[in-house]
Amino acid sequence: MRIAISTGGGDAPGLNAVIRAIVLSAHQRGWQTYGIRRGYDGLLTEEGVLMLTPERVRGITHLGGTILGTTNRGNPFRWPMKDAAGQVVEMDRSDELIAAFTASGFDALIAIGGDGSLRIAYDLWRKGLPVVGVPKTIDNDVTGTLASFGFDTAVSIATEAIDRLHSTAESHERVMVVEVMGRYAGWIALHSGISAGADVILIPEIPFDIAKVCDKIRAREASGRHFSIVVVAEGAIAKGGQAVLLERRTAGGVDRLGGICSLVARAIGERTGKETRTLVLGHLQRGGSPTTFDRLLGLRFGVAAVRSVADKAFGVMVGFEPPTIVRTPLQDVVGRPRSVPLESDTLRTARELGINLGD
Ligand code: F6P
């Protein structure tokens, strides 16, 4: 049995743990494992594949990033290429990819990815490829799992950053506005904001009214609290507004979110007269070593994915439903991002702690 592994989309701490778990558990069964370089690129370009032996994956569980490399521009169904006129257009190269997969003698693909990469995995499965998906994203927005690895690490980093902002915000009597990642879901903002004692948390699931945010800051002023911490998810939207983009999708890519924190900070400054500062945490949230939780989850996912291959259960994604690991058909996963439920206990907790959610 020869298993191919791909890591596509944005990296997430814990990816190397998944790779190591797949390699070791497949090895125990006498199977071989190969890593496709840079998402799916290795099957379509000279980048190629890498034989993964137990020696090759020794000591990588705690390392951030992915030893295979990744890209969020490597969709084989929408491959960016120049046409005769020199224009960049998108081509469907999925048949070529399947031919390369078959020619390499692979029996199964374990695709580790977020919604975009799992959609590719699902479409490849529909074309006959034996695929098992593993959910990976710091955004925690994949359906079919209570947690994706990388999320816990991102929240820990954001929480520590917000903790650190308190003392400087208080000393200068400022409003600090922190933008965290998460795409169109507010998980990172909500979990880090509550844990670090933010005063305001703005998430995409609850369009915000800037007047309400300013009321909260004024109320704090009136009670002698002359500083405030506002955590904004990158996908947060003002009531009646739209998500703020840094860059529109170009061929082969995706929209890039970012910039909402400057708008929020300026509006707060103008309306309250308070001095404001911004911090965009950005890729710090994805870098470095995974937490214990993400390492263990990654290792469990990797082993469970190999088990799924052994059971010939394809077209599924492994997921975490405590205390166990479950399998969900990819068709029930893709295109259904998991948002923060409005009735969730975590949101209630925020409200009952007096945190303003902008509504
Ligand atoms: O999906 C993970 C994520 O980090 C999002 O939170 C963020 O919007 C995006 O990827 C950033 O992607 P890039 O690596 O292209 O900047």
Side-chain angles (χ1 to χ4, degrees), residues 10 72 137-139 181-183 234 256-257 283 286:
N72 49 17
T137 170
I138 65 163
D139 305 333
M181 283 185 168
R183 289 194 71 74
E234 62 179 0
R256 286 182 61 212
L257 287 161
H283 296 80
R286 273 180 19 200

Side-chain angles (χ1 to χ4, degrees), residues 6-10 36-45 47 69-81 88-94 96-98 109 111-113 116-121 123-124 136 249-254:
S6 76
T7 58
I36 304 169
R37 290 194 195 267
R38 256 183 132 244
Y40 293 98
D41 286 15
L43 289 176
L44 293 172
T45 67
E47 308 228 22
T70 186
T71 172
N72 49 17
R73 292 175 185 274
N75 186 341
F77 292 89
R78 305 171 86 172
W79 190 269
M81 284 178 100
V88 181
V89 291
E90 293 180 339
M91 309 276 290
D92 181 354
R93 295 187 67 193
S94 56
E96 263 178 83
L97 184 141
I98 289 172
L109 170 69
I112 314 169
S117 308
L118 291 173
R119 150 70 62 187
I120 297 168
D123 289 341
L124 290 172
K136 166 240 59 170
R249 177 183 185 283
T250 51
V254 289

Side-chain angles (χ1 to χ4, degrees), residues 32-346:
Q32 292 181 340
T33 39
Y34 292 81
I36 304 169
R37 290 194 195 267
R38 256 183 132 244
Y40 293 98
D41 286 15
L43 289 176
L44 293 172
T45 67
E46 311 253 290
E47 308 228 22
V49 297
L50 177 71
M51 186 168 184
L52 295 172
T53 58
E55 291 69 40
R56 181 66 190 81
V57 297
R58 186 173 294 145
I60 63 168
T61 299
H62 68 290
L63 299 180
T66 159
I67 59 167
L68 300 177
T70 186
T71 172
N72 49 17
R73 292 175 185 274
N75 186 341
F77 292 89
R78 305 171 86 172
W79 190 269
M81 284 178 100
K82 286 207 173 138
D83 66 9
Q87 293 288 322
V88 181
V89 291
E90 293 180 339
M91 309 276 290
D92 181 354
R93 295 187 67 193
S94 56
D95 288 337
E96 263 178 83
L97 184 141
I98 289 172
F101 181 90
T102 310
S104 304
F106 294 137
D107 301 293
L109 170 69
I110 297 181
I112 314 169
D115 189 55
S117 308
L118 291 173
R119 150 70 62 187
I120 297 168
Y122 174 58
D123 289 341
L124 290 172
W125 178 69
R126 291 207 305 167
K127 294 188 86 166
L129 220 72
V131 172
V132 175
V134 175
K136 166 240 59 170
T137 170
I138 65 163
D139 305 333
N140 206 31
D141 61 350
V142 174
T143 292
T145 187
L146 194 75
S148 46
F149 65 86
F151 173 63
D152 186 62
T153 308
V155 169
S156 304
I157 294 166
T159 301
E160 193 198 332
I162 301 163
D163 279 350
R164 285 175 178 275
L165 288 178
H166 272 84
S167 58
T168 174
E170 185 161 18
S171 304
H172 286 265
E173 302 191 347
R174 284 172 173 159
V175 177
M176 304 293 300
V177 186
V178 191
E179 181 175 310
V180 297
M181 283 185 168
R183 289 194 71 74
Y184 299 103
W187 296 104
I188 299 179
L190 186 65
H191 284 222
S192 61
I194 294 178
S195 307
D199 306 296
V200 178
I201 303 174
L202 305 178
I203 61 174
E205 292 83 350
I206 305 177
F208 66 88
D209 177 348
I210 194 71
K212 298 272 172 60
V213 173
C214 293
D215 286 347
K216 169 75 180 179
I217 291 166
R218 286 193 204 96
R220 280 177 56 78
E221 283 290 312
S223 69
R225 309 289 281 154
H226 298 295
F227 73 99
S228 292
I229 305 282
V230 180
V231 177
V232 192
E234 62 179 0
I237 41 176
K239 267 192 184 138
Q242 284 178 346
V244 181
L245 297 185
L246 274 180
E247 191 189 348
R248 270 222 170 276
R249 177 183 185 283
T250 51
V254 289
D255 283 344
R256 286 182 61 212
L257 287 161
I260 181 76
C261 90
S262 301
L263 302 182
V264 169
R266 197 178 318 134
I268 292 172
E270 283 167 7
R271 285 166 179 256
T272 65
K274 291 289 296 175
E275 200 175 12
T276 60
R277 291 290 186 271
T278 57
L279 171 71
V280 179
L281 271 186
H283 296 80
L284 266 183
Q285 292 159 98
R286 273 180 19 200
S289 198
T291 58
T292 308
F293 182 88
D294 282 340
R295 292 178 200 195
L296 184 56
L297 189 61
L299 294 167
R300 291 182 70 184
F301 278 170
V303 169
V306 173
R307 223 182 278 141
S308 198
V309 172
D311 292 345
K312 299 203 176 344
F314 296 115
V316 297
M317 182 195 81
V318 297
F320 183 48
E321 252 181 40
T324 193
I325 301 289
V326 295
R327 294 172 190 161
T328 306
L330 280 168
Q331 69 178 31
D332 296 338
V333 170
V334 299
R336 300 179 186 198
R338 197 171 74 96
S339 310
V340 175
L342 292 181
E343 67 288 355
S344 82
D345 181 68
T346 317

